[in-house]
Amino acid sequence: MTAVSTRVDRWLWSVRLAKTRPDAAAACRGGHVRINDRLAKPSSLVSPGDEVRALIGSTARIVVVTRVIQKRVGAADAVTCYLDRTPAPPPVSAVPVAARDRGSGRPTKRERRVLDKWRAGLR
């Protein structure tokens, strides 16, 4: 029998978005979980079609509920319970690093001043 709705803390834990159920409940109590743009308590109900925005730990996720489950399932089954709408993280640009020839020793006073000026321009 498939459930129509369940508690959001249980659902976050069962689809493996939160490592433990207390972590999911703490995120709800801290105001880090929203269901359809409304703050969610741990006992708030989630049903298919709801959009859940959760910040658990340092990971922000935006998912749309497709299936409600009550118990924790394997990772392959868990991903079928939601559609991930989380935007891709911005690309990390490579910061150029001042390269020195191997074995050239410590930088001279002049080279160090040039490096300091270059580093100050990056900040």
Side-chain angles (χ1 to χ4, degrees):
M1 180 168 175
T2 313
V4 176
S5 62
T6 188
R7 293 171 55 110
V8 69
D9 62 339
R10 177 184 284 176
W11 187 80
L12 287 170
W13 167 74
S14 62
V15 297
R16 296 175 177 262
L17 293 179
K19 193 168 186 175
T20 64
R21 190 166 167 192
D23 286 346
C28 292
R29 282 191 300 274
H32 301 294
V33 177
R34 292 180 163 270
I35 301 173
N36 297 327
D37 288 330
R38 290 187 177 158
L39 284 176
K41 293 191 219 178
S43 62
S44 298
L45 296 178
V46 66
S47 56
D50 288 343
E51 181 185 68
V52 178
R53 293 173 178 260
L55 176 66
I56 299 175
S58 62
T59 307
R61 301 289 298 269
I62 303 170
V63 297
V64 176
V65 179
T66 57
R67 188 167 55 123
V68 174
I69 56 175
Q70 300 276 341
K71 298 196 178 202
R72 195 166 172 100
V73 293
D77 291 334
V79 296
T80 64
C81 297
Y82 60 88
L83 296 173
D84 197 355
R85 302 275 189 223
T86 307
V92 178
S93 61
V95 177
V97 178
R100 291 184 48 81
D101 294 330
R102 189 168 178 90
S104 63
R106 293 175 55 181
T108 63
K109 191 170 190 176
R110 180 172 179 240
E111 290 172 337
R112 194 174 64 244
R113 285 182 181 151
V114 170
L115 282 173
D116 288 342
K117 188 184 290 186
W118 180 74
R119 286 185 186 132
L122 289 178
R123 292 182 199 155

